[in-house]
Structures are given as C-alpha cells and as structure tokens.
Amino acid sequence: EVQLVESGGGLVQPGGSLRLSCVASGFTFSSYWMHWVRQAPGKGLVWVSRINSDGSSTSYADSVKGRSTISRDNAKNTLYLQMNSLRAEDTAVYYCASTLKGSGSLMDVWGKGTTVTVSS
Amino acid sequence: DIVMTQSPDSLAVSLGERAAINCKSSQSVLYSSNNRNYLAWYQQKPGQPPKLLIYWASTRESGVPDRFSGSGSGTDFTLTISSLQAEDVAVYYCQHHSNTPPTFGQGTKVAIK
C-alpha cells in the first residue's frame, strides 16, 4: 500500500525553526517528485515546495522562499522541509504529496498531514 | 503564476441531483505538444487530506465512482457529480499541474439541500 506519513509539527514561537519529515512506503520513492502543500485553519490548499526525484532541483512558493529548504534522503525514503524564521502566517497543516503518475505537479497520494502552530 | 478561480464558492444540492463546479484558469493549461489539459480535481472531506478525483481534466482516478466526471479545455473546466450522494459532502478544489508553481482554486463547498 502506498503511504506517506508526516511528522515533526508542533508549537513553535515566532522566529523559531522546525523540520518536518515525510516517510514514504509502498513505492519506489527515489523515482518520483515530491511536494509539500499547506492549509491554514479554515482556508484552502497552498503549494509550498517541490523537489525532483534525485534532489538536484527544488522550487519554493514566494511565501517561504529564503526561509525554507526542501530535501530528501532516498536511502531512507524520507522527504524533509526545514522551516526557519517562522511567522504566525505559517500556522497550517502541512501535507506531503507524491507524483506517482509522472506529471511533476500532479499530486496523486497525500499524507494525513502534520500541524504547525506558530505562536508566542 | 496561473490563477485558478472556482465558482460557486458553495452550493447545496438535493440528494440524487446534479452538482456542477466550474474552474477557470488565468491562462491555458492545454499543451499542444500532447493535447492534454493539465487540470486536476481534488475532494477534501472534513479532517482528511485531499484526495485526487480527476486528472488531465477528464481522467477519473482509479476507484473514483463514475458519478464524478470532468470536462473542459484550455481555460474553462467543470467537475460534475451526476447524482449527489451523502458521502460527497466535501470541499472540492481544482489545480493546474502544468508547471511550477502549481496553484489551486479557492475551493467549493458542496452540501446537501
């Protein structure tokens, strides 16, 4: 069964840092692009970042560019999102999503999400 | 960036009746090289992650009931639920998957009348 499991969320003060993780199983993780998408409370879906299959190419939404770093460890089947200089507006559920159908931005499998709360 | 605009923001439909959600992109998501529209639809139920329903504008994901269908081309798309069931109550999002950044519509909430 294809599965994505996020972790690493929590309560952090403004200006703090968090590293989110997403462990993949049930597919050849190293072959596919991966994405992070977030959803603020009561709001819609917002794409955050993506990484290609070998980690050599990354892209970020303007809202997190310069403050976040996406990476992956294909040996551990794990995707990461390092988030620094966190702001209240970064409060959201963060989902990782895969692109198993091969279209780089088509998100066909999603994890259940991990919640990040930025508050003093 | 491509802006995705859905309409309506919400709708209430009687059980067994048809529901239609529209999605408009600020530029065409049709690629002439392969004649494919890079448009997807997702369903999100309360407390759950999004679930892919439709991609390439009209291809139903495996396991998705055939009452869900997608249509349209270029910049105008529609998700249709032919006969609304109670389990279809959710928020539906369109998304272009043509390039980076992929962007989502604001969502359409579907309820039972």
Side-chain angles (χ1 to χ4, degrees), chain A residues 50 77 98:
Chain A
R50 69 98 177 133
N77 288 347
S98 63

Side-chain angles (χ1 to χ4, degrees), chain A:
Chain A
E1 180 194 3
V2 174
Q3 195 171 13
L4 299 171
V5 179
E6 303 95 334
S7 62
L11 174 63
V12 61
Q13 292 190 338
S17 298
L18 275 180
R19 187 175 83 155
L20 308 183
S21 299
C22 169
V23 177
S25 59
F27 66 101
T28 306
F29 178 72
S30 59
S31 296
Y32 300 99
W33 288 27
M34 296 292 294
H35 296 262
W36 287 100
V37 175
R38 70 184 182 185
Q39 186 170 36
K43 302 297 185 182
L45 302 169
V46 177
W47 173 82
V48 173
S49 183
R50 69 98 177 133
I51 188 167
N52 70 345
S53 57
D54 66 6
S56 62
S57 173
T58 60
S59 188
Y60 300 90
D62 288 345
S63 58
V64 303
K65 196 175 295 182
R67 300 187 297 122
S68 297
T69 302
I70 190 172
S71 62
R72 64 192 297 161
D73 185 335
N74 285 343
K76 295 182 177 179
N77 288 347
T78 304
L79 173 73
Y80 302 101
L81 184 68
Q82 176 69 44
M83 305 175 66
N84 301 323
S85 303
L86 283 161
R87 307 165 179 166
E89 54 264 37
D90 296 316
T91 295
V93 175
Y94 285 73
Y95 298 102
C96 66
S98 63
T99 60
L100 303 189
K101 290 184 173 43
S103 172
S105 294
L106 176 63
M107 301 170 208
D108 43 19
V109 179
W110 296 64
K112 288 182 166 43
T114 187
T115 301
V116 172
T117 303
V118 184
S119 175
S120 55

Side-chain angles (χ1 to χ4, degrees), chain B residues 11-19 67 81-90 92 110-113:
Chain B
L11 75 162
V13 175
S14 300
L15 288 172
E17 295 300 305
R18 176 179 170 275
R67 63 180 180 273
I81 309 172
S82 60
S83 175
L84 191 74
Q85 305 299 304
E87 60 266 32
D88 301 334
V89 169
Y92 294 84
V110 173
I112 304 295
K113 186 189 290 183

